[in-house]
């Protein structure tokens, strides 16, 4: 179930654009209530552009909450330059009942109802940081 949600999110990000456009390296840190959020998926979906852009990007946080983005289309490092909608999720399955609904450990206001945005500069950034709270 978790895998299906991730695949849907990545295809949605890819549908936002493909082809031309420039990318820049993007990395940062995600914390939840001031603690590193390990294992979370960070997705950047570019705002619509005339040329279609380069598609969405995603990354996975490590034990320290750090992530580095990769493009969905072409699997290159970075993200399209410009404004993006950002979603952050961390799903947990119930091992005792794999058929049960998957629980997202990140509040909905950062994923399914996200209003997070980030403007990727042409020179890239290592400070695409998100400080989430419950």
């Amino acid at each position: 179930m978790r895998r299906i949600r991730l695949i849907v999110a990545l295809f949605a990000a890819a549908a936002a654009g493909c082809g031309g456009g420039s990318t820049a390296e993007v990395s940062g840190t995600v914390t939840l209530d001031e603690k590193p959020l390990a294992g979370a998926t960070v997705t950047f979906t570019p705002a619509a552009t005339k040329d279609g852009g380069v598609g969405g990007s995603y990354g996975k946080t490590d034990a320290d909450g750090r992530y580095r983005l990769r493009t969905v289309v072409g699997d290159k490092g970075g993200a399209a330059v410009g404004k993006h909608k950002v979603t952050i999720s961390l799903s947990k399955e119930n091992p005792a009942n794999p058929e049960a609904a998957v629980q997202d450990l990140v509040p909905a206001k950062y994923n399914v109802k996200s209003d997070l945005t980030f403007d990727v500069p042409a020179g890239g950034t290592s400070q695409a940081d998100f400080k989430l709270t419950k």
Side-chain angles (χ1 to χ4, degrees):
M1 184 72 160
R2 177 178 52 170
R3 187 170 290 171
I4 291 171
R5 288 178 69 188
L6 177 60
I7 290 169
V8 169
L10 293 177
F11 276 116
C18 58
S22 59
T23 61
E25 291 291 321
V26 177
S27 62
T29 304
V30 179
T31 58
L32 181 60
D33 295 332
E34 299 183 15
K35 296 177 184 162
L37 186 62
T41 300
V42 180
T43 306
F44 277 42
T45 304
T49 61
K50 292 179 191 173
D51 67 356
V54 296
S57 298
Y58 67 97
K60 196 88 156 166
T61 59
D62 64 15
D64 297 322
R66 299 230 11 108
Y67 71 94
R68 180 173 303 280
L69 294 180
R70 300 203 54 77
T71 61
V72 173
V73 177
D75 196 31
K76 301 185 293 185
V81 172
K83 189 168 181 145
H84 294 258
K85 177 180 179 179
V86 178
T87 59
I88 302 170
S89 63
L90 175 58
S91 299
K92 179 181 177 183
E93 294 180 9
N94 182 345
N97 184 2
E99 299 300 317
V102 175
Q103 177 185 11
D104 202 317
L105 302 178
V106 176
K109 65 184 175 180
Y110 302 118
N111 47 62
V112 294
K113 296 180 181 180
S114 180
D115 61 357
L116 294 174
T117 61
F118 191 83
D119 197 359
V120 175
T125 183
S126 62
Q127 297 178 13
D129 299 332
F130 297 95
K131 297 177 180 187
L132 314 181
T133 57
K134 284 190 179 173

